[in-house]
Amino acid sequence: MPRYQEATRSIEERVTDLLSQMTLDEKIAQLGSYWVYELLDGISFSPTKAAHLLQNGLGQVTRIGGASNVTPKQSAELANTIQKYLIENTRLGIPAVIHEECCSGYMARGATVFPQAIGVASTWQPELVEAMTDVIRAQMRSVGGHHALAPVLDVTRDARWGRVEETFGEDAYLVAQMGMAYIRGMQGSDFRNGVIATGKHFVGYGMSEGGMNWAPPHIAERELREVYLYPFEAAVREAKLASIMNGYQELDGIPCGASKWLLSDVLRDEWGFNGTVVSDYFAVTMLHEYHHIAKDKAEAAHIALDAGLDIELPFTDSYGAPLKHAIENGQIPLALVDRAVERALRQKFELGLFENPYVDAGSVAFDTPEQRQLARTIAQQSIVLLRNENQVLPLAKNITSIAVIGPNADSTRNLFGDYAYPAHIETLAELKKTSNVFNMPLPDGIENVDDFIETRSILSALKEAVSAETQVHYARGCAVNSADTSGFADAVAAAKNAQIAIVVVGDKAGLTDDCTSGEARDRAVLDLPGVQAQLVKAIYETGTPIVLVLVNGRPITLDWMAEKIPAIVECWLPSEEGANAIVDVLFGDVNPGGKLPMTFPRAVGQIPVYYGHRPSGGRSNWKVDYVETSVKPLYPFGYGLSYTQFAFANLHIEQAQAHAGEQVTIRVDVTNTGSRAGDEVVQLYTHQTVSRITRPLKELKAFKRVSLTPGETKTITFHLPVNHLAFLNHAHELVVEPGSVTVMVGSSSADIHLTGTFAIVGATTPVQRVFTTAVSVG
């Protein structure tokens, strides 16, 4: 038995032995990938295609579940067949890593679809995120998956950007906490049962010029490190993230996939990252074809490898024949290939692929009742009550009549985000019919799948919830993004015949041209797409009270609706159990407690608008407001109402003074003063009032969502590390600086109920970054 096959030897021994036996072709094969359908005839494995593509092995297989129409059992069988071929028909028998997308659940037919990430962030519950990814991990592993292309750790403050929905929002601390929970659930305690998580998109991708996909951001290094790199650093240092994916865009003239400073100096040398860096799809070749910093694919491969980009996805292109020829011609040092191959092999050994390359295709259990219940719980917890004048909500189930109106009222498809299974199958199908902009191989026989998971519409769930005597009048009114108003008359008639109108509006998320949210679906305006706002106005003019239900992927402006519509509910893209969750909230079976992870602007001209601005930001000096509108946001970060009320009292800061390296204990009592059980998210913000570097006026440093029965009081204790207040000084050293710190506790970034102070004393002290404030509830 070759030494690398001996499970008792160390991983380093096995990697060294295997690498020493590999030919150039075998090494290069480990740095590439193929779409699953490149290895198939229909949905069956093709030995003929495999003999051509896999003769020297393969690094990764791209999306067995997410780029085909196969069932979970067929997916597991295909994974086994591919691994068996590699083990038995290649010289060294190296298994492949199978990667999949899983932003809102494992993106495959039959897998549980959880709310989109922006909704998950609205729960403010990292423990729910970890439970979610524990399910995703189990589902992926059961069908042979090993590598998840998530979480998205982009901090985004521009709602025009189409991929806002995939993020955890605008705040670095919230993104870090949600991202670390995602990674822990996904990777587990042992990679032999875990799935490699991938932090993306490294870095600054979510703050692009004009909110446009792949466009460059303009971020100074201090802000880059303190805000945009922060969640990635937390993921690497604290959650032990095992993979990073580069951003498509450039930073200061250098594409992220070509940046040695990012991928090697910061990631590996500063943070100690020892995993793999994988390319975002097509990103290596883009250095030649899109960014024009390489004269050909060979030079693109050289630049990427030298920067520290190890594996090319989604199919072998620049890291194939161009790379081989450049090495043979002496243009690229073999040492760069060896370094990347060593990293790729190490993860294969860590995953236990050489000992356990196969799965039991008969034991696949997807979307169990328990998994669906978790999806429903997360959807319930994600819903944010934005407005509820005169307590219009909750509704009585025995109400005489209801009108249900809007393009998303009777749609199941539009409950899902852009990286859910139906959206990506639509994308592959559209690429087959139109120009292949990515110059990629495409599958035969791919078609839309409408029955991929059991889902009901809001209309259907509502009809089941109300009494048998309640009349339900339905009218679509209009499409999501169309100028056609011919359905308005039916919608108006439905509203006139009802006591209340539930108007369900918003987006269709995906990558195709008819979508209004999702990757490459960036917007220049942020009102409701198409004629939806006109539809709402037509219904409003009937005099029937409206409950506006938003099923959308980004913060939007609401214009007159924000003041005139009595009840507004933000539901994001709640996925398979979303309709049930929305109805649970509308009728009071669940009290909404979600909070906004991103600021809602009043007008698109405010963007970027976010709570954590510097002393000179957030206003037009010296007159404060714009000519046309207030500079205040429509709804602030952390905002969300409830069907009950909460009171904050007894703020106590135990330490009046503290040094670097010490901890400050902060206590506050929160009481449910209303008549219903409900949840409040207690938010802790700080501000160092005088410092040598300007600091944001508020920075989220801790939070805790608590459930309280009527009259109940709980004490929330924050254990704030002083080092959590560190910032970069003039020399870009991370330091704790002495000074006065204002502590603010509230229910949103704008609703601060209690304030206090403590002092940091002692000398300015260089420190290591701290990423988490522990919180206890008593």
Side-chain angles (χ1 to χ4, degrees):
M1 179 183 292
R3 187 175 298 177
Y4 73 86
Q5 294 284 10
E6 296 178 19
T8 57
R9 293 190 178 272
S10 71
I11 288 177
E12 292 306 316
E13 282 185 287
R14 299 175 77 181
V15 170
T16 300
D17 180 64
L18 180 51
L19 189 61
S20 71
Q21 299 186 44
M22 298 175 75
T23 66
L24 176 60
D25 286 328
E26 289 166 340
K27 290 176 180 179
I28 288 174
Q30 292 302 307
L31 305 184
S33 56
Y34 288 116
W35 289 95
V36 64
Y37 48 73
E38 295 182 78
L39 305 173
L40 306 180
D41 285 324
I43 61 171
S44 298
F45 180 74
S46 170
T48 302
K49 293 179 180 178
H52 172 62
L53 296 176
L54 305 183
Q55 58 184 310
N56 295 303
L58 183 64
Q60 295 215 6
V61 179
T62 297
R63 289 167 33 186
I64 291 179
S68 72
N69 284 342
V70 297
T71 64
K73 186 173 186 295
Q74 291 170 331
S75 185
E77 291 169 344
L78 266 176
N80 284 344
T81 302
I82 292 168
Q83 300 290 27
K84 183 178 175 64
Y85 185 92
L86 288 168
I87 291 166
E88 296 182 357
N89 294 276
T90 63
R91 187 177 71 90
L92 297 172
I94 305 172
V97 166
I98 296 166
H99 77 256
E100 300 281 2
E101 297 280 5
C102 52
C103 184
S104 57
Y106 172 29
M107 195 180 77
R109 189 172 185 175
T112 306
V113 191
F114 296 95
Q116 181 61 298
I118 194 71
V120 174
S122 298
T123 70
W124 290 60
Q125 292 186 86
E127 58 271 25
L128 282 181
V129 181
E130 189 165 344
M132 176 185 78
T133 51
D134 185 62
V135 170
I136 299 170
R137 175 193 54 77
Q139 291 184 350
M140 281 186 61
R141 266 294 193 171
S142 74
V143 295
H146 315 107
H147 190 157
L149 301 187
V152 173
L153 298 177
D154 293 307
V155 174
T156 184
R157 294 169 172 178
D158 191 333
R160 295 171 298 178
W161 187 52
R163 302 189 78 170
V164 162
E165 63 174 78
E166 301 173 42
T167 77
F168 295 126
E170 76 176 50
D171 181 77
Y173 184 76
L174 180 61
V175 172
Q177 293 302 308
M178 294 306 209
M180 288 191 292
Y182 189 107
I183 293 160
R184 290 181 179 121
M186 185 67 71
Q187 295 190 166
S189 58
D190 182 353
F191 271 129
R192 291 176 180 269
N193 298 302
V195 169
I196 291 168
T198 306
K200 64 183 188 183
H201 306 84
F202 196 59
V203 64
Y205 182 44
M207 276 304 293
S208 60
E209 190 177 84
M212 295 181 290
N213 201 40
W214 297 7
H218 303 284
I219 307 170
E221 185 179 343
R222 177 174 284 103
E223 185 178 5
L224 186 73
R225 286 184 176 271
E226 291 189 344
V227 177
Y228 300 95
L229 282 170
Y230 180 94
F232 291 94
E233 186 177 0
V236 171
R237 290 188 185 271
E238 194 164 310
K240 309 306 177 186
L241 177 68
S243 186
I244 283 280
M245 176 181 282
N246 69 284
Y248 282 122
Q249 87 290 353
E250 65 176 69
L251 280 176
D252 194 24
I254 302 174
C256 293
S259 175
K260 182 181 287 189
W261 179 76
L262 273 180
L263 303 184
S264 294
D265 297 349
V266 172
L267 182 61
R268 296 192 186 274
D269 297 343
E270 291 186 25
W271 298 351
F273 178 75
N274 62 358
T276 53
V277 176
V278 300
S279 80
D280 206 340
Y281 284 14
F282 324 107
V284 178
T285 300
M286 280 172 56
L287 300 180
H288 163 55
E289 295 181 348
Y290 183 75
H291 292 293
H292 307 297
I293 66 165
K295 66 178 181 295
D296 54 26
K297 292 181 180 181
E299 189 173 24
H302 189 182
I303 291 170
L305 280 170
D306 186 54
L309 201 159
D310 303 311
I311 298 168
E312 183 179 28
L313 304 179
F315 63 95
T316 304
D317 190 10
S318 294
Y319 278 14
L323 173 58
K324 179 185 177 181
H325 295 153
I327 292 171
E328 291 175 336
N329 294 334
Q331 297 169 286
I332 299 178
L334 183 60
L336 291 180
V337 172
D338 286 348
R339 183 180 68 177
V341 174
E342 181 181 5
R343 293 167 180 168
L345 293 177
R346 185 183 303 116
Q347 284 199 330
K348 291 189 176 187
F349 285 115
E350 289 172 344
L351 288 163
L353 294 187
F354 287 82
E355 289 70 53
N356 296 293
Y358 306 119
V359 294
D360 180 0
S363 66
V364 176
F366 273 28
D367 207 38
T368 64
E370 294 78 15
Q371 293 165 349
R372 288 196 74 97
Q373 181 56 51
L374 178 60
R376 184 166 182 166
T377 298
I378 295 174
Q380 291 167 339
Q381 301 285 287
S382 73
I383 293 172
V384 184
L385 182 62
L386 297 177
R387 183 172 166 86
N388 193 23
E389 292 298 297
N390 302 317
Q391 288 73 54
V392 169
L393 293 175
L395 302 173
K397 292 183 180 179
N398 62 354
I399 190 171
T400 303
S401 58
I402 295 178
V404 184
I405 298 166
N408 287 342
D410 197 28
S411 168
T412 57
R413 165 62 181 85
N414 292 358
L415 296 173
F416 296 95
D418 70 334
Y419 268 74
Y421 181 70
H424 267 253
I425 293 299
E426 287 174 0
T427 302
L428 291 173
E430 182 175 273
L431 287 172
K432 287 288 286 186
K433 298 173 185 176
T434 59
S435 60
N436 186 351
V437 295
F438 299 111
N439 191 31
M440 57 186 270
L442 289 168
D444 294 321
I446 200 80
E447 57 188 29
N448 294 344
V449 178
D450 296 324
D451 63 343
F452 78 103
I453 199 76
E454 181 184 342
T455 309
R456 66 194 319 182
S457 70
I458 295 169
L459 176 64
S460 172
L462 188 142
K463 284 181 175 179
E464 186 173 293
V466 297
S467 70
E469 291 74 32
T470 301
Q471 294 183 335
V472 179
H473 307 284
Y474 167 68
R476 185 178 185 224
C478 64
V480 166
N481 193 20
S482 168
D484 184 4
T485 60
S486 61
F488 280 23
D490 289 342
V492 167
K496 287 180 176 178
N497 288 323
Q499 284 182 273
I500 198 158
I502 298 175
V503 184
V504 188
V505 293
D507 287 317
K508 177 182 178 181
L511 283 69
T512 53
D513 288 351
D514 63 330
C515 293
T516 58
S517 176
E519 186 171 0
R521 304 311 297 142
D522 314 312
R523 297 194 64 200
V525 295
L526 291 175
D527 54 6
L528 289 167
V531 294
Q532 293 183 71
Q534 296 174 45
L535 173 67
V536 176
K537 186 174 183 181
I539 296 164
Y540 176 77
E541 289 174 347
T542 67
T544 302
I546 292 175
V547 175
L548 193 66
V549 175
L550 304 175
V551 178
N552 56 307
R554 54 159 62 86
I556 60 172
T557 58
L558 288 170
D559 196 29
W560 62 273
M561 290 177 274
E563 298 295 331
K564 299 295 186 181
I565 303 299
I568 304 173
V569 184
E570 175 58 79
C571 305
W572 304 112
L573 299 164
S575 298
E576 67 177 53
E577 282 292 321
N580 289 325
I582 290 167
V583 170
D584 290 340
V585 165
L586 293 180
F587 290 100
D589 295 326
V590 169
N591 190 347
K595 300 282 188 174
L596 294 179
M598 195 168 174
T599 302
F600 274 51
R602 291 182 180 273
V604 71
Q606 282 183 287
I607 289 174
V609 56
Y610 51 93
Y611 86 90
H613 57 77
R614 309 270 173 165
S616 59
R619 66 191 190 278
S620 176
N621 285 292
W622 65 100
K623 290 186 178 292
V624 179
D625 287 328
Y626 292 103
V627 171
E628 301 88 356
T629 187
S630 167
V631 297
K632 293 181 179 179
L634 180 61
Y635 301 114
F637 172 81
Y639 172 84
L641 303 176
S642 172
Y643 295 155
T644 191
Q645 298 81 42
F646 302 94
F648 291 63
N650 303 322
L651 175 66
H652 178 67
I653 302 173
E654 264 189 28
Q655 295 80 13
Q657 297 182 338
H659 293 81
E662 295 181 343
Q663 181 176 281
V664 176
T665 303
I666 301 165
R667 292 189 177 89
V668 64
D669 292 338
V670 181
T671 303
N672 183 342
T673 59
S675 59
R676 289 176 175 266
D679 289 2
E680 179 62 289
V681 179
V682 185
Q683 301 164 41
L684 174 70
Y685 298 88
T686 66
H687 172 59
Q688 190 154 347
T689 54
V690 178
S691 55
R692 296 295 180 91
I693 301 293
T694 63
R695 305 306 303 146
L697 294 180
K698 291 189 185 81
E699 292 182 276
L700 181 69
K701 293 299 180 183
F703 59 87
K704 185 66 177 178
R705 182 166 177 161
V706 292
S707 299
L708 296 164
T709 57
E712 183 180 13
T713 298
K714 288 183 178 178
T715 300
I716 317 302
T717 303
F718 300 103
H719 307 276
L720 176 68
V722 172
N723 290 7
H724 200 180
L725 306 181
F727 56 86
L728 296 175
N729 65 11
H730 284 264
H732 281 235
E733 299 166 325
L734 188 70
V735 299
V736 168
E737 185 178 281
S740 178
V741 176
T742 301
V743 172
M744 297 161 275
V745 179
S747 53
S748 84
S749 60
D751 301 313
I752 300 300
H753 302 288
L754 301 168
T755 61
T757 62
F758 69 90
I760 300 175
V761 295
T764 298
T765 306
V767 297
Q768 289 292 316
R769 206 179 277 287
V770 172
F771 301 101
T772 300
T773 299
V775 186
S776 55
V777 180

